């Protein structure tokens, strides 16, 4: 589904990504992990053509990111960036509705409206649909942004730290929704996560970056061993097993 | 409304629900939903402001030095001539210029992602004036159409420079952008004054740079402003894309919009509208700042809904101020820009004190 070949990227002369190659199969949740500054956001931005590809190739669902029309890509891949600022006074329903733009070009059909209502309901925003985004709390705003990406109706979703600002309840709910989308609708979801335990519980695969290099790309249970986690995050952490599930005691 | 219990993490039986759907879990208690994109809410202020504008337009037709009453229109050919040669053109000019100025401001604020810039303070209008001045010096006999084209190109150049510099200013300090705009507009304006002084054209330039007015508007001297209306319509046509552009480069690209092309299109809209108004009536300040700010406070920034409102409100403000200017020292006239200075300041105070809806 997502093919990344020999991708390197430099920012102001400093290499930020070096020789990344990986092939993420269609369907399922892939967690992208790594320390701050590892290059996760940069990689996601390159995948979503928000940054121009310098070296290497990326294709999503057979579409080369560098050579496919942007409006066609917008129907294939949706991106939620790490720090989206909504400075316009838009209502939640309007913002989420703009997720339909690649399909509707601004003329919402009944089906579009139905999908918008659906997205609002899915992310528990129905009661806030008429409120201005600027009046929401950080977590509510984050949910609105995720709902907008969801509303885009793409087979592939790239989410950069969508759990930011979410309380435990909504963080868990979001992960469950994403899991559900992957299982029932076959969506391909790449999600940057900081809590490795969310990855442990909900992700099928883990891609780990460190200092711009790919250090791990494997099934989740294969990555969740102390040696590999130390390699990724730079310190030793214990892994307990609860109900047969690995739990990383990263905070100790 | 955000129900308090819904924000308690892990409350109720929700967490044990087999369905991961939030709505399925707790949607039952939610207020019935209003369609988020219904136009009914947008139509009410629209109809109201249109009615006010229509009333002002009728009033404007009958206010002026030569007495003119509705009855005379059927019997007196002079009255008819006055109506069609002067009153109607002046009224239409105020409406077209007002809506154009307000939309020019709105689009420029969208492009700059800053609410405190507008074409008449940030160099666009001064650029247009520079263009007219250059044509006047180099080709004194040029038609008004040629002047408009050159003014548009000069305005485009001046605005492009402003925007490319404004985009480099740190976004953490939003007041740098308008401040820079004021200085930049001042510099371009000073260049215009200097060149005009050298060329002995100061008197001519005075009206473009400082105080636009409608007293000279007659039939045959305002029709270019219809083109401004066409560009207002163009802005409405691309309203959704402009709204997305206001969400920033990344969101725009993510939704498949050609961000650079939209910026260029927006620049053309701002520049052509500004150039047209400068050529026909001169620089009229405040409208592009006050009207979009007020409308944004009240109905938000979804441009498909706000563009008609901003256009009508801009027309209302300018026409209203022109009428006041005609009445204040009757039979003399106070230039519309002067009246706008006062009314604009009052309106801005109102903006500051107005509580935004859906706070
Ligand atoms: N706009 C930028 N300009 C220059 N350097 C940047 C920019 N954004 C990120 N970087 C640098 O690129 C590296 C990777 O950043 P990023 O991809 O955001 O990391 P992550 O998302 O993994 O925390 C970091 O060293 C960061 O400092
Ligand atoms: Mg990041």
């Amino acid at each position: 589904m997502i093919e990344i070949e020999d991708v390197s990227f430099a920012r102001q002369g400093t290499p930020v990504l070096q020789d990344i190659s990986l092939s993420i199969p269609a369907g399922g949740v892939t967690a992208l992990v790594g320390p701050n500054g590892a290059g996760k956001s940069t990689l996601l931005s390159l995948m979503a053509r928000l940054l121009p590809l310098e070296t290497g190739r990326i294709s999503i669902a057979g579409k080369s990111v560098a050579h496919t029309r942007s409006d066609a890509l917008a129907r294939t891949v949706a991106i939620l960036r790490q720090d989206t600022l909504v400075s316009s006074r838009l209502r939640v329903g309007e913002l989420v509705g703009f997720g339909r733009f690649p399909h509707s070009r601004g003329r919402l059909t009944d089906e579009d409206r139905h999908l918008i209502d659906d997205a609002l309901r899915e992310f528990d925003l129905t009661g806030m649909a008429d409120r201005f985004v600027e009046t929401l709390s950080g977590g509510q705003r984050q949910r609105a942004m995720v709902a907008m990406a969801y509303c885009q109706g793409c087979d592939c979703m790239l989410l950069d730290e969508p759990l930011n600002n979410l309380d435990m309840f909504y963080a868990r709910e979001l992960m469950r929704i994403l899991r559900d989308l992957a299982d029932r609708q076959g969506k391909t979801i790449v999600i940057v996560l900081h809590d490795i335990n969310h990855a442990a519980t909900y992700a099928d695969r883990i891609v780990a970056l460190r200092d711009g290099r790919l250090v791990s790309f494997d099934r989740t249970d294969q990555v969740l061993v102390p040696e590999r986690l130390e390699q990724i995050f730079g310190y030793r952490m214990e892994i307990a097993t609860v109900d047969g599930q690995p739990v990383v005691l990263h905070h100790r | 409304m955000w129900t308090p219990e819904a924000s308690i993490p892990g409350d109720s039986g929700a967490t044990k629900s087999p369905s991961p759907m939030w709505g399925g879990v707790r949607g039952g208690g939610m207020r019935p939903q209003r369609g988020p994109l219904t136009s009914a809410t947008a139509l009410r202020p629209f109809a109201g402001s249109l009615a006010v504008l229509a009333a002002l337009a009728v009033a404007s037709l009958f206010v002026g030095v030569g007495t003119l009453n509705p009855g005379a229109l059927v019997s007196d050919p002079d009255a008819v001539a006055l109506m069609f040669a002067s009153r109607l053109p002046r009224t239409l000019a105020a409406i077209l210029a007002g809506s154009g100025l307000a939309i020019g401001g709105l689009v420029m604020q969208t492009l700059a992602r800053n609410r405190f810039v507008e074409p008449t303070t940030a160099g666009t209008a001064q650029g247009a004036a520079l263009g007219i001045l250059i044509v006047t010096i180099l080709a004194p006999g040029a038609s008004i159409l040629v002047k408009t084209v050159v003014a548009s190109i000069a305005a485009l150049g001046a605005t492009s420079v402003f925007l490319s510099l404004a985009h480099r200013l740190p976004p953490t300090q939003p007041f740098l952008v308008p401040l820079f705009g004021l200085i930049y507009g001042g510099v371009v304006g000073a260049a215009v004054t200097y060149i005009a002084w050298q060329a002995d054209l100061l008197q001519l330039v005075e009206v473009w740079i400082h105080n636009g007015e409608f007293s000279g508007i007659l039939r045959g001297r305002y029709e270019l402003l219809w083109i401004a209306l066409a560009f207002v319509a163009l802005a409405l046509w691309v309203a959704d894309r402009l709204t997305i552009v206001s969400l920033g480069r990344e969101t725009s690209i993510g939704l498949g919009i050609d961000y650079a092309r939209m910026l260029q299109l927006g620049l053309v809209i701002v520049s052509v509208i500004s150039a047209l108004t400068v050529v026909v009536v001169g620089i009229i300040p405040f409208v592009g700042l006050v009207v979009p700010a007020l409308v944004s406070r009240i109905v938000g920034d979804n441009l498909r809904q706000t563009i008609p409102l901003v256009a009508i409100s801009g027309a209302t403000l300018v026409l209203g101020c022109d009428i006041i200017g005609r009445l204040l020292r009757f039979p003399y006239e106070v230039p519309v820009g002067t009246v706008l200075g006062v009314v604009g300041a009052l309106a801005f105070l109102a903006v500051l004190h107005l509580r935004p809806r859906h706070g």
Side-chain angles (χ1 to χ4, degrees), chain A residues 33-67:
Chain A
V33 304
N36 290 338
K40 307 179 294 292
S41 298
T42 306
L43 183 59
L44 230 56
S45 291
L46 287 170
M47 288 159 75
R49 52 134 169 37
L50 302 185
L51 288 173
L53 210 50
E54 286 174 349
T55 37
R57 287 161 299 281
I58 297 179
S59 72
I60 298 180
K63 296 189 173 99
S64 155
V65 167
H67 299 114

mmCIF file of all heavy atoms in Angstrom, chain A residues 33-67:
data_model
loop_
_atom_site.group_PDB
_atom_site.id
_atom_site.type_symbol
_atom_site.label_atom_id
_atom_site.label_comp_id
_atom_site.label_asym_id
_atom_site.label_seq_id
_atom_site.Cartn_x
_atom_site.Cartn_y
_atom_site.Cartn_z
ATOM 1 N N VAL A 33 7.092 5.259 15.764
ATOM 2 C CA VAL A 33 7.590 5.695 17.071
ATOM 3 C C VAL A 33 9.045 6.138 16.951
ATOM 4 O O VAL A 33 9.701 5.890 15.952
ATOM 5 C CB VAL A 33 7.471 4.573 18.134
ATOM 6 C CG1 VAL A 33 6.044 4.087 18.252
ATOM 7 C CG2 VAL A 33 8.412 3.425 17.810
ATOM 8 N N GLY A 34 9.505 6.769 18.005
ATOM 9 C CA GLY A 34 10.889 7.234 18.033
ATOM 10 C C GLY A 34 10.994 8.463 18.901
ATOM 11 O O GLY A 34 9.986 9.129 19.167
ATOM 12 N N PRO A 35 12.219 8.781 19.349
ATOM 13 C CA PRO A 35 12.400 9.945 20.219
ATOM 14 C C PRO A 35 12.057 11.247 19.494
ATOM 15 O O PRO A 35 11.933 11.266 18.269
ATOM 16 C CB PRO A 35 13.896 9.913 20.564
ATOM 17 C CG PRO A 35 14.414 8.614 20.068
ATOM 18 C CD PRO A 35 13.473 8.096 19.041
ATOM 19 N N ASN A 36 11.943 12.317 20.253
ATOM 20 C CA ASN A 36 11.717 13.632 19.660
ATOM 21 C C ASN A 36 12.820 13.940 18.641
ATOM 22 O O ASN A 36 13.982 13.659 18.898
ATOM 23 C CB ASN A 36 11.769 14.730 20.719
ATOM 24 C CG ASN A 36 10.580 14.658 21.648
ATOM 25 O OD1 ASN A 36 9.555 14.090 21.306
ATOM 26 N ND2 ASN A 36 10.734 15.229 22.836
ATOM 27 N N GLY A 37 12.418 14.513 17.528
ATOM 28 C CA GLY A 37 13.414 14.889 16.530
ATOM 29 C C GLY A 37 13.927 13.733 15.694
ATOM 30 O O GLY A 37 14.863 13.899 14.913
ATOM 31 N N ALA A 38 13.311 12.560 15.827
ATOM 32 C CA ALA A 38 13.782 11.394 15.073
ATOM 33 C C ALA A 38 13.486 11.527 13.581
ATOM 34 O O ALA A 38 14.114 10.876 12.754
ATOM 35 C CB ALA A 38 13.137 10.129 15.625
ATOM 36 N N GLY A 39 12.519 12.362 13.240
ATOM 37 C CA GLY A 39 12.163 12.527 11.830
ATOM 38 C C GLY A 39 10.794 11.958 11.491
ATOM 39 O O GLY A 39 10.440 11.854 10.322
ATOM 40 N N LYS A 40 9.996 11.645 12.499
ATOM 41 C CA LYS A 40 8.683 11.043 12.256
ATOM 42 C C LYS A 40 7.766 12.000 11.486
ATOM 43 O O LYS A 40 7.168 11.624 10.490
ATOM 44 C CB LYS A 40 8.015 10.658 13.591
ATOM 45 C CG LYS A 40 8.876 9.782 14.486
ATOM 46 C CD LYS A 40 8.184 9.446 15.792
ATOM 47 C CE LYS A 40 7.933 10.624 16.712
ATOM 48 N NZ LYS A 40 9.144 11.223 17.297
ATOM 49 N N SER A 41 7.689 13.227 11.979
ATOM 50 C CA SER A 41 6.807 14.200 11.306
ATOM 51 C C SER A 41 7.297 14.480 9.896
ATOM 52 O O SER A 41 6.498 14.638 8.966
ATOM 53 C CB SER A 41 6.755 15.504 12.096
ATOM 54 O OG SER A 41 6.210 15.279 13.365
ATOM 55 N N THR A 42 8.603 14.538 9.734
ATOM 56 C CA THR A 42 9.154 14.791 8.405
ATOM 57 C C THR A 42 8.774 13.661 7.453
ATOM 58 O O THR A 42 8.337 13.915 6.322
ATOM 59 C CB THR A 42 10.689 14.912 8.501
ATOM 60 O OG1 THR A 42 11.004 15.905 9.469
ATOM 61 C CG2 THR A 42 11.284 15.296 7.165
ATOM 62 N N LEU A 43 8.893 12.431 7.921
ATOM 63 C CA LEU A 43 8.551 11.291 7.063
ATOM 64 C C LEU A 43 7.071 11.332 6.679
ATOM 65 O O LEU A 43 6.708 11.140 5.517
ATOM 66 C CB LEU A 43 8.882 9.982 7.783
ATOM 67 C CG LEU A 43 8.635 8.701 6.972
ATOM 68 C CD1 LEU A 43 9.460 8.704 5.687
ATOM 69 C CD2 LEU A 43 8.961 7.456 7.796
ATOM 70 N N LEU A 44 6.230 11.619 7.657
ATOM 71 C CA LEU A 44 4.794 11.694 7.381
ATOM 72 C C LEU A 44 4.483 12.826 6.393
ATOM 73 O O LEU A 44 3.663 12.671 5.490
ATOM 74 C CB LEU A 44 4.034 11.899 8.700
ATOM 75 C CG LEU A 44 2.866 10.963 8.962
ATOM 76 C CD1 LEU A 44 3.309 9.523 8.890
ATOM 77 C CD2 LEU A 44 2.230 11.240 10.307
ATOM 78 N N SER A 45 5.157 13.955 6.577
ATOM 79 C CA SER A 45 4.937 15.084 5.668
ATOM 80 C C SER A 45 5.364 14.732 4.246
ATOM 81 O O SER A 45 4.717 15.144 3.282
ATOM 82 C CB SER A 45 5.719 16.312 6.134
ATOM 83 O OG SER A 45 5.168 16.797 7.330
ATOM 84 N N LEU A 46 6.451 13.997 4.102
ATOM 85 C CA LEU A 46 6.885 13.581 2.774
ATOM 86 C C LEU A 46 5.867 12.628 2.155
ATOM 87 O O LEU A 46 5.538 12.730 0.973
ATOM 88 C CB LEU A 46 8.249 12.893 2.854
ATOM 89 C CG LEU A 46 9.447 13.812 3.117
ATOM 90 C CD1 LEU A 46 10.690 12.989 3.424
ATOM 91 C CD2 LEU A 46 9.701 14.725 1.926
ATOM 92 N N MET A 47 5.339 11.715 2.981
ATOM 93 C CA MET A 47 4.349 10.768 2.469
ATOM 94 C C MET A 47 3.101 11.500 1.986
ATOM 95 O O MET A 47 2.438 11.057 1.057
ATOM 96 C CB MET A 47 3.975 9.763 3.574
ATOM 97 C CG MET A 47 5.080 8.768 3.883
ATOM 98 S SD MET A 47 4.883 8.022 5.512
ATOM 99 C CE MET A 47 3.568 6.891 5.226
ATOM 100 N N ALA A 48 2.792 12.605 2.658
ATOM 101 C CA ALA A 48 1.556 13.333 2.321
ATOM 102 C C ALA A 48 1.841 14.517 1.390
ATOM 103 O O ALA A 48 1.038 15.429 1.298
ATOM 104 C CB ALA A 48 0.882 13.827 3.587
ATOM 105 N N ARG A 49 3.007 14.547 0.727
ATOM 106 C CA ARG A 49 3.429 15.596 -0.214
ATOM 107 C C ARG A 49 3.374 17.018 0.383
ATOM 108 O O ARG A 49 3.270 17.998 -0.343
ATOM 109 C CB ARG A 49 2.647 15.539 -1.534
ATOM 110 C CG ARG A 49 1.098 15.519 -1.382
ATOM 111 C CD ARG A 49 0.289 16.353 -2.175
ATOM 112 N NE ARG A 49 -1.152 16.125 -2.157
ATOM 113 C CZ ARG A 49 -1.945 15.782 -1.174
ATOM 114 N NH1 ARG A 49 -1.471 15.484 0.034
ATOM 115 N NH2 ARG A 49 -3.252 15.717 -1.336
ATOM 116 N N LEU A 50 3.435 17.115 1.721
ATOM 117 C CA LEU A 50 3.480 18.450 2.326
ATOM 118 C C LEU A 50 4.887 19.018 2.231
ATOM 119 O O LEU A 50 5.086 20.224 2.299
ATOM 120 C CB LEU A 50 3.052 18.404 3.804
ATOM 121 C CG LEU A 50 1.665 17.840 4.075
ATOM 122 C CD1 LEU A 50 1.324 17.976 5.537
ATOM 123 C CD2 LEU A 50 0.615 18.531 3.214
ATOM 124 N N LEU A 51 5.861 18.106 2.082
ATOM 125 C CA LEU A 51 7.234 18.519 1.807
ATOM 126 C C LEU A 51 7.607 17.895 0.469
ATOM 127 O O LEU A 51 7.172 16.785 0.163
ATOM 128 C CB LEU A 51 8.192 18.013 2.891
ATOM 129 C CG LEU A 51 8.127 18.672 4.266
ATOM 130 C CD1 LEU A 51 9.021 17.927 5.239
ATOM 131 C CD2 LEU A 51 8.551 20.130 4.171
ATOM 132 N N PRO A 52 8.417 18.596 -0.332
ATOM 133 C CA PRO A 52 8.810 18.014 -1.622
ATOM 134 C C PRO A 52 9.865 16.923 -1.425
ATOM 135 O O PRO A 52 10.802 17.088 -0.644
ATOM 136 C CB PRO A 52 9.385 19.212 -2.381
ATOM 137 C CG PRO A 52 9.847 20.143 -1.313
ATOM 138 C CD PRO A 52 8.954 19.944 -0.135
ATOM 139 N N LEU A 53 9.688 15.825 -2.117
ATOM 140 C CA LEU A 53 10.618 14.706 -2.022
ATOM 141 C C LEU A 53 11.941 15.108 -2.666
ATOM 142 O O LEU A 53 11.966 15.596 -3.794
ATOM 143 C CB LEU A 53 9.995 13.525 -2.778
ATOM 144 C CG LEU A 53 10.297 12.109 -2.335
ATOM 145 C CD1 LEU A 53 10.094 11.928 -0.844
ATOM 146 C CD2 LEU A 53 9.383 11.163 -3.107
ATOM 147 N N GLU A 54 13.043 14.917 -1.934
ATOM 148 C CA GLU A 54 14.342 15.266 -2.516
ATOM 149 C C GLU A 54 14.972 14.048 -3.184
ATOM 150 O O GLU A 54 15.280 14.070 -4.365
ATOM 151 C CB GLU A 54 15.259 15.828 -1.427
ATOM 152 C CG GLU A 54 14.869 17.228 -1.011
ATOM 153 C CD GLU A 54 15.675 17.754 0.159
ATOM 154 O OE1 GLU A 54 16.410 16.973 0.801
ATOM 155 O OE2 GLU A 54 15.561 18.956 0.433
ATOM 156 N N THR A 55 15.192 13.003 -2.388
ATOM 157 C CA THR A 55 15.710 11.769 -2.976
ATOM 158 C C THR A 55 14.801 10.623 -2.589
ATOM 159 O O THR A 55 14.199 10.621 -1.515
ATOM 160 C CB THR A 55 17.123 11.448 -2.447
ATOM 161 O OG1 THR A 55 17.185 11.804 -1.073
ATOM 162 C CG2 THR A 55 18.189 12.220 -3.209
ATOM 163 N N GLY A 56 14.718 9.640 -3.477
ATOM 164 C CA GLY A 56 13.909 8.470 -3.211
ATOM 165 C C GLY A 56 12.514 8.600 -3.804
ATOM 166 O O GLY A 56 12.188 9.595 -4.453
ATOM 167 N N ARG A 57 11.703 7.565 -3.554
ATOM 168 C CA ARG A 57 10.348 7.521 -4.106
ATOM 169 C C ARG A 57 9.375 7.102 -3.019
ATOM 170 O O ARG A 57 9.716 6.289 -2.158
ATOM 171 C CB ARG A 57 10.287 6.496 -5.246
ATOM 172 C CG ARG A 57 10.975 6.920 -6.529
ATOM 173 C CD ARG A 57 11.286 5.724 -7.411
ATOM 174 N NE ARG A 57 12.188 4.782 -6.746
ATOM 175 C CZ ARG A 57 13.513 4.960 -6.649
ATOM 176 N NH1 ARG A 57 14.087 6.021 -7.179
ATOM 177 N NH2 ARG A 57 14.266 4.070 -6.001
ATOM 178 N N ILE A 58 8.191 7.655 -3.092
ATOM 179 C CA ILE A 58 7.119 7.213 -2.196
ATOM 180 C C ILE A 58 5.874 7.023 -3.050
ATOM 181 O O ILE A 58 5.552 7.881 -3.881
ATOM 182 C CB ILE A 58 6.826 8.265 -1.102
ATOM 183 C CG1 ILE A 58 8.054 8.461 -0.207
ATOM 184 C CG2 ILE A 58 5.621 7.833 -0.259
ATOM 185 C CD1 ILE A 58 7.872 9.482 0.891
ATOM 186 N N SER A 59 5.209 5.894 -2.870
ATOM 187 C CA SER A 59 3.916 5.755 -3.544
ATOM 188 C C SER A 59 2.901 5.208 -2.557
ATOM 189 O O SER A 59 3.230 4.458 -1.638
ATOM 190 C CB SER A 59 4.034 4.849 -4.774
ATOM 191 O OG SER A 59 4.215 3.517 -4.367
ATOM 192 N N ILE A 60 1.676 5.651 -2.740
ATOM 193 C CA ILE A 60 0.575 5.199 -1.888
ATOM 194 C C ILE A 60 -0.507 4.636 -2.790
ATOM 195 O O ILE A 60 -0.944 5.321 -3.729
ATOM 196 C CB ILE A 60 0.026 6.368 -1.040
ATOM 197 C CG1 ILE A 60 1.134 6.881 -0.112
ATOM 198 C CG2 ILE A 60 -1.196 5.921 -0.238
ATOM 199 C CD1 ILE A 60 0.726 8.020 0.776
ATOM 200 N N ALA A 61 -0.901 3.405 -2.533
ATOM 201 C CA ALA A 61 -1.894 2.723 -3.368
ATOM 202 C C ALA A 61 -1.514 2.828 -4.843
ATOM 203 O O ALA A 61 -2.354 3.101 -5.698
ATOM 204 C CB ALA A 61 -3.295 3.305 -3.122
ATOM 205 N N GLY A 62 -0.246 2.640 -5.114
ATOM 206 C CA GLY A 62 0.211 2.656 -6.498
ATOM 207 C C GLY A 62 0.390 4.038 -7.088
ATOM 208 O O GLY A 62 0.867 4.184 -8.210
ATOM 209 N N LYS A 63 0.015 5.082 -6.333
ATOM 210 C CA LYS A 63 0.147 6.443 -6.863
ATOM 211 C C LYS A 63 1.441 7.062 -6.365
ATOM 212 O O LYS A 63 1.644 7.193 -5.153
ATOM 213 C CB LYS A 63 -1.027 7.313 -6.405
ATOM 214 C CG LYS A 63 -2.375 6.862 -6.922
ATOM 215 C CD LYS A 63 -3.425 7.927 -6.588
ATOM 216 C CE LYS A 63 -4.759 7.624 -7.226
ATOM 217 N NZ LYS A 63 -5.701 6.997 -6.281
ATOM 218 N N SER A 64 2.299 7.442 -7.272
ATOM 219 C CA SER A 64 3.531 8.108 -6.888
ATOM 220 C C SER A 64 3.196 9.471 -6.288
ATOM 221 O O SER A 64 2.492 10.276 -6.898
ATOM 222 C CB SER A 64 4.427 8.277 -8.112
ATOM 223 O OG SER A 64 5.290 9.376 -7.908
ATOM 224 N N VAL A 65 3.701 9.709 -5.109
ATOM 225 C CA VAL A 65 3.353 10.947 -4.418
ATOM 226 C C VAL A 65 3.882 12.168 -5.164
ATOM 227 O O VAL A 65 3.254 13.221 -5.203
ATOM 228 C CB VAL A 65 3.894 10.901 -2.969
ATOM 229 C CG1 VAL A 65 3.830 12.266 -2.331
ATOM 230 C CG2 VAL A 65 3.109 9.898 -2.160
ATOM 231 N N ALA A 66 5.042 11.985 -5.803
ATOM 232 C CA ALA A 66 5.642 13.126 -6.488
ATOM 233 C C ALA A 66 4.971 13.418 -7.825
ATOM 234 O O ALA A 66 5.020 14.537 -8.310
ATOM 235 C CB ALA A 66 7.137 12.876 -6.698
ATOM 236 N N HIS A 67 4.339 12.392 -8.427
ATOM 237 C CA HIS A 67 3.865 12.578 -9.792
ATOM 238 C C HIS A 67 2.360 12.507 -9.952
ATOM 239 O O HIS A 67 1.849 12.570 -11.060
ATOM 240 C CB HIS A 67 4.523 11.553 -10.722
ATOM 241 C CG HIS A 67 6.014 11.686 -10.750
ATOM 242 N ND1 HIS A 67 6.862 10.720 -10.259
ATOM 243 C CD2 HIS A 67 6.807 12.708 -11.159
ATOM 244 C CE1 HIS A 67 8.114 11.132 -10.385
ATOM 245 N NE2 HIS A 67 8.114 12.340 -10.923
#
